[in-house]
Amino acid sequence: QVQLQESGPGLVKPSQTLSLTCTVSGGSISSGSYYWSWIRQPAGKGLEWIGRIYTSGSTNYNPSLKSRVTISVDTSKNQFSLKLSSVTAADTAVYYCARGGVVVAEDAFDIWGQGTMVTVSS
Amino acid sequence: QSALTQPASVSGSPGQSITISCTGTSSDVGSYKLVSWYQQHPGKAPKLMIYEVSKRPSGVSNRFSGSKSGNTASLTISGLQAEDEADYYCCSYAGSSLYVFGTGTKVTVL
């Protein structure tokens, strides 16, 4: 079955760029039936959708983060990535990658990575 | 885009039924049949429990059901069990390729 795994630095300095990668295993990221999202959760708080990418390269971002976010995909490596620039302490959170449905389970996130904690601190 | 509104906590005794509400606006919950619900145990990733308002993924107990009326979606858990104690989040498509989550509800089994 398809599994997602986040990877990247757990500590990022303020004003720098947070970079995370999600590796998809057990299936191809290139399936047209899905898109690939990033979602984050500050400690003790709720979930926030960051953005998504289709394997065509088409992206959509949360307007509240749009000026700082870039999501990209590398189909040859079965991976997609998140870059968040100019980070502050408010960006400290657990970051999840997730699969979203285009046809089945439309616009629901049916598979999630385990999450990776990113702390913004000097 | 503001978060969807959920009660902070809901509790019930084993075997009882509970309902969690998720209130949005006519721009999100009220406009689309694209509401999903997620269960999250402490330290774990969220798990999809309901999609497209009322559909259950394979493997999810039929004790979980979803519905929607106007700008409010609901998740009902019947025959409450100890393992249902977790945080629950709703999510809705909000148009313009945007998704919004709910504020989250902590379910306690008494």
Side-chain angles (χ1 to χ4, degrees):
Chain A
Q1 69 280 25
V2 174
Q3 293 183 310
L4 307 182
Q5 177 68 59
E6 305 90 349
S7 59
L11 181 64
V12 181
K13 289 182 167 51
S15 80
Q16 294 192 341
T17 296
L18 176 161
S19 296
L20 296 174
T21 295
C22 182
T23 300
V24 180
S25 60
S28 173
I29 197 173
S30 297
S31 168
S33 300
Y34 302 103
Y35 57 84
W36 308 91
S37 275
W38 288 97
I39 295 161
R40 70 181 182 178
Q41 184 175 36
K45 297 188 177 181
L47 299 164
E48 179 180 33
W49 180 76
I50 298 171
R52 70 174 175 187
I53 190 165
Y54 292 84
T55 50
S56 63
S58 174
T59 55
N60 303 106
Y61 301 129
N62 188 324
S64 67
L65 298 169
K66 187 173 183 177
S67 64
R68 300 193 292 128
V69 174
T70 301
I71 298 176
S72 59
V73 64
D74 186 338
T75 55
S76 67
K77 295 182 178 179
N78 235 29
Q79 296 176 334
F80 64 106
S81 298
L82 168 71
K83 290 189 185 298
L84 181 65
S85 64
S86 305
V87 297
T88 69
D91 295 309
T92 295
V94 174
Y95 285 76
Y96 295 100
C97 57
R99 186 178 81 171
V102 174
V103 178
V104 178
E106 185 179 357
D107 286 312
F109 305 102
D110 66 338
I111 297 177
W112 295 63
Q114 66 184 26
T116 188
M117 179 68 201
V118 178
T119 300
V120 178
S121 175
S122 55
Chain B
Q1 190 73 30
S2 298
L4 307 176
T5 301
Q6 298 179 231
S9 62
V10 173
S11 62
S13 299
Q16 288 187 329
S17 293
I18 62 169
T19 297
I20 303 168
S21 62
C22 168
T23 302
T25 69
S26 58
S27 297
D28 39 60
V29 175
S31 288
Y32 305 96
K33 295 182 180 179
L34 296 172
V35 176
S36 51
W37 289 89
Y38 302 86
Q39 176 191 66
Q40 186 179 35
H41 287 109
K44 301 295 186 182
K47 174 187 176 183
L48 178 65
M49 305 302 284
I50 295 287
Y51 65 94
E52 293 175 22
V53 175
S54 60
K55 299 178 181 179
R56 276 189 311 275
S58 174
V60 172
S61 171
N62 59 9
R63 297 186 298 105
F64 291 85
S65 61
S67 63
K68 189 186 83 158
S69 178
N71 296 338
T72 298
S74 298
L75 174 70
T76 297
I77 308 175
S78 58
L80 198 62
Q81 299 180 0
E83 66 206 51
D84 301 331
E85 187 161 293
D87 293 328
Y88 291 82
Y89 293 92
C90 60
C91 180
S92 176
Y93 180 68
S96 302
S97 299
L98 171 66
Y99 300 86
V100 59
F101 282 93
T103 50
T105 298
K106 181 176 180 58
V107 168
T108 300
V109 181
L110 301 172

